[in-house]
Amino acid sequence: MAGRSSSLAAAEGKAPAPRRTRNKPEERHKEFVRKAVELFAEIGFEAGTRELAQRLGVTQPLLYRYFPSKDDLIAAVYQEIYVNRWKPQWREGLLDESRPIRERIVAFYEDYAGTIFTPEWIRIYLFAGLRGVDINRRYAATVEEQILRPITLATRTSFGLGGGEPPTPEEVELFWTLQGGIFYYGVREIVYRFPMPVDRATMIRNAVDTFLTGVGPVLKRLAERSDAPA
Amino acid sequence: MAGRSSSLAAAEGKAPAPRRTRNKPEERHKEFVRKAVELFAEIGFEAGTRELAQRLGVTQPLLYRYFPSKDDLIAAVYQEIYVNRWKPQWREGLLDESRPIRERIVAFYEDYAGTIFTPEWIRIYLFAGLRGVDINRRYAATVEEQILRPITLATRTSFGLGGGEPPTPEEVELFWTLQGGIFYYGVREIVYRFPMPVDRATMIRNAVDTFLTGVGPVLKRLAERSDAPA
DNA sequence: TTATTTAATTATCGTTCGATAAATAACCTC
DNA sequence: GAGGTTATTTATCGAACGATAATTAAATAA
């Protein structure tokens, strides 16, 4: 109870007992990124470094010992979510010709939705897109290359249409609408918090059924048109 | 060149000649909202009121004569975009049974895309959704009520399936995936600036063709299942 | 135990933000 | 043309932001 009059800013009676536990830098780094993912998903990238520090039970300048700037922290968040959570077996499963095409596509979208339908993934993805960084362009390019082109070829094959040539842009775009339709289910559920009376698995099954039933004739028409030039 | 020493903050040599033209409040109000739409679409809602004032050639406190707070300005922006740009004839066109269902749906999505595929509409919509206001929930409810349920009923009818009962959630969800797939085309084009080698009209035609071709059997299965309870 | 290292803190700077109060000047009316 | 109304400006406040420098104390080594 003595002195302690040095600073009026001490906010009398609300000193939350600084921790001063000394952790290994590597663990701290991970801890910071993990909580940053959580915070940015909630508030967006304009979330303050002070808020993040408070949630970590740490002072704000300490963050700058681990990340030179806030943008570096954000870059680490991107890496964590969009690089580390990508599964190479998605592509492999889609190419596994021992299973029927419908089964492969449904299984993929169920696993994919299970991975990305979280507030961290979807909200930060949209925040990043609106911010104008190239994360989304690059991610979409990966989706097209690793998922949609394989799906397109596998579907073509399963309909007995020529499997040699690479997919045309028009074909790929067709599969983008399926991808977008399913992704937007997640946006409505997680971002808009729209009431979703139909569960994910049912939605995926119905969407894939509708798509696979209808895509045959359209693919055939596209193939015929490219076969017979003017 | 005399005096002028009153304030050091005059930023010597960069006084951009204040305008001091006296406009009618009503026009100013519209002018402010219009430019705010532009600015928020570019930067997001964290765009500063000073930046907005500068683009209007006006001082920042003047904004507060027309809008009590920044949130009121944002509310006016929502009204302008999501209420004023809604077209009641969308619903009417979809219900016009004198035209084939495919034609109605394609025509709707072409007009709808022409209306909402702009940076103002899509970017501000996503900003709003991430911000957590209820704009998106309400808008999505309107889409479901005014667009998707009519489409569902019209499609059912055109397939000769019972048209009496209201659409089931599962049926409506099916049409949401078409809506979402087309909407996400706009997100990729306008927000992610992904290269889009297939033009809108082609994408819409192919997506609707695929969907309408495939949706018949799925709708039939859903109808049968609800007819024959356990 | 003492010395060294460095994780973590305190203190603070310069900017920018939303918002308010007071002063000024353009337009309208008589 | 004088006087009043109010659109617009100048000046400024307090809070929050990202970032830096200097200080303190926990862990490790001698």
Side-chain angles (χ1 to χ4, degrees):
Chain A
M1 307 291 184
R4 190 55 95 90
S5 64
S6 57
S7 167
L8 286 174
E12 193 82 24
K14 213 178 183 180
R19 60 196 280 188
R20 278 281 187 190
T21 60
R22 212 181 156 96
N23 292 23
K24 287 181 183 164
E26 199 173 321
E27 293 171 10
R28 267 276 139 92
H29 195 278
K30 282 185 182 176
E31 192 190 357
F32 285 9
V33 172
R34 196 156 23 86
K35 264 279 189 290
V37 165
E38 202 179 296
L39 179 66
F40 290 150
E42 267 183 48
I43 303 189
F45 295 121
E46 67 269 34
T49 54
R50 282 170 180 81
E51 167 93 17
L52 174 58
Q54 193 187 20
R55 294 192 183 198
L56 284 160
V58 155
T59 58
Q60 179 246 2
L62 184 58
L63 299 173
Y64 287 85
R65 191 171 182 86
Y66 293 86
F67 304 94
S69 74
K70 190 179 174 182
D71 274 335
D72 290 279
L73 173 59
I74 291 173
V77 164
Y78 290 147
Q79 172 79 20
E80 161 64 20
I81 299 184
Y82 304 112
V83 180
N84 298 352
R85 295 190 191 179
W86 181 272
K87 300 183 187 175
Q89 57 262 39
W90 286 332
R91 179 169 184 275
E92 294 157 15
L94 285 166
L95 290 174
D96 173 13
E97 299 199 2
S98 73
R99 298 158 66 204
I101 183 71
R102 176 187 179 282
E103 192 180 310
R104 277 181 270 167
I105 295 181
V106 167
F108 160 71
Y109 276 116
E110 277 176 355
D111 193 21
Y112 189 66
T115 301
I116 77 165
F117 283 8
T118 72
E120 294 99 36
W121 204 105
I122 293 197
R123 287 179 58 90
I124 291 181
Y125 192 69
L126 294 182
F127 277 126
L130 290 166
R131 232 180 155 230
V133 278
D134 63 341
I135 297 292
N136 307 66
R137 251 191 314 281
R138 276 161 41 196
Y139 188 85
T142 302
V143 166
E144 189 166 308
E145 194 57 46
Q146 303 290 316
I147 305 294
L148 298 182
R149 295 172 76 92
I151 288 190
T152 308
L153 284 181
T155 305
R156 236 207 232 152
T157 304
S158 85
F159 278 103
L161 300 166
E165 320 78 39
T168 67
E170 224 167 316
E171 286 173 328
V172 173
E173 189 58 45
L174 206 44
F175 286 80
W176 262 118
T177 63
L178 174 63
Q179 176 85 10
I182 292 175
F183 180 74
Y184 204 61
Y185 176 98
V187 173
R188 280 184 292 135
E189 176 187 336
I190 288 173
V191 181
Y192 307 158
R193 298 182 171 282
F194 200 67
M196 305 301 277
V198 180
D199 65 283
R200 270 180 216 175
T202 304
M203 175 276 295
I204 290 173
R205 190 160 25 80
N206 287 340
V208 172
D209 277 349
T210 301
F211 184 83
L212 276 185
T213 305
V215 82
V218 176
L219 281 181
K220 198 173 175 193
R221 197 189 66 212
L222 293 179
E224 281 164 1
R225 197 190 323 155
S226 75
D227 278 352
Chain B
M1 309 294 179
R4 188 57 96 89
S5 64
S6 58
S7 167
L8 286 173
E12 195 83 26
K14 213 178 184 181
R19 62 196 279 190
R20 276 282 188 191
T21 58
R22 211 182 158 96
N23 291 22
K24 287 182 184 167
E26 198 172 321
E27 292 170 11
R28 268 276 200 265
H29 195 276
K30 283 186 181 176
E31 192 191 357
F32 286 9
V33 172
R34 195 157 22 88
K35 265 278 189 289
V37 165
E38 202 180 296
L39 178 66
F40 290 149
E42 267 182 49
I43 302 188
F45 296 122
E46 66 269 34
T49 53
R50 284 170 180 81
E51 167 93 17
L52 175 57
Q54 193 188 18
R55 292 191 185 199
L56 285 160
V58 154
T59 57
Q60 180 247 1
L62 184 59
L63 298 173
Y64 286 85
R65 192 171 182 86
Y66 293 86
F67 304 94
S69 75
K70 189 179 174 181
D71 274 335
D72 289 279
L73 173 59
I74 290 173
V77 164
Y78 290 148
Q79 173 78 21
E80 160 64 22
I81 299 185
Y82 305 112
V83 179
N84 297 351
R85 296 191 190 178
W86 181 273
K87 300 183 186 174
Q89 59 261 38
W90 286 332
R91 179 170 184 275
E92 295 157 15
L94 285 167
L95 290 174
D96 173 13
E97 300 199 359
S98 73
R99 298 158 66 204
I101 184 71
R102 177 187 178 282
E103 191 180 310
R104 276 180 272 168
I105 295 182
V106 167
F108 161 70
Y109 276 116
E110 277 177 354
D111 193 21
Y112 189 66
T115 301
I116 77 167
F117 282 8
T118 72
E120 293 102 35
W121 204 105
I122 293 197
R123 288 179 57 89
I124 291 182
Y125 192 69
L126 294 182
F127 277 125
L130 290 167
R131 232 179 156 231
V133 278
D134 62 342
I135 296 293
N136 307 66
R137 250 191 315 280
R138 277 161 42 196
Y139 188 84
T142 302
V143 166
E144 189 165 309
E145 194 56 47
Q146 303 290 317
I147 306 293
L148 298 182
R149 295 172 75 91
I151 288 190
T152 308
L153 283 181
T155 305
R156 236 207 230 152
T157 304
S158 84
F159 279 103
L161 299 166
E165 319 78 39
T168 67
E170 223 168 316
E171 286 172 329
V172 173
E173 190 57 46
L174 205 44
F175 287 80
W176 261 118
T177 62
L178 174 62
Q179 176 86 10
I182 292 175
F183 180 75
Y184 203 62
Y185 176 98
V187 173
R188 281 184 292 136
E189 176 188 335
I190 287 174
V191 181
Y192 307 158
R193 297 183 172 281
F194 200 69
M196 304 300 278
V198 179
D199 65 284
R200 272 180 215 174
T202 303
M203 175 276 295
I204 289 173
R205 191 160 24 81
N206 286 340
V208 172
D209 278 350
T210 301
F211 184 83
L212 276 185
T213 304
V215 82
V218 176
L219 280 181
K220 198 173 175 192
R221 197 189 66 212
L222 293 180
E224 281 163 2
R225 199 192 321 157
S226 74
D227 277 352

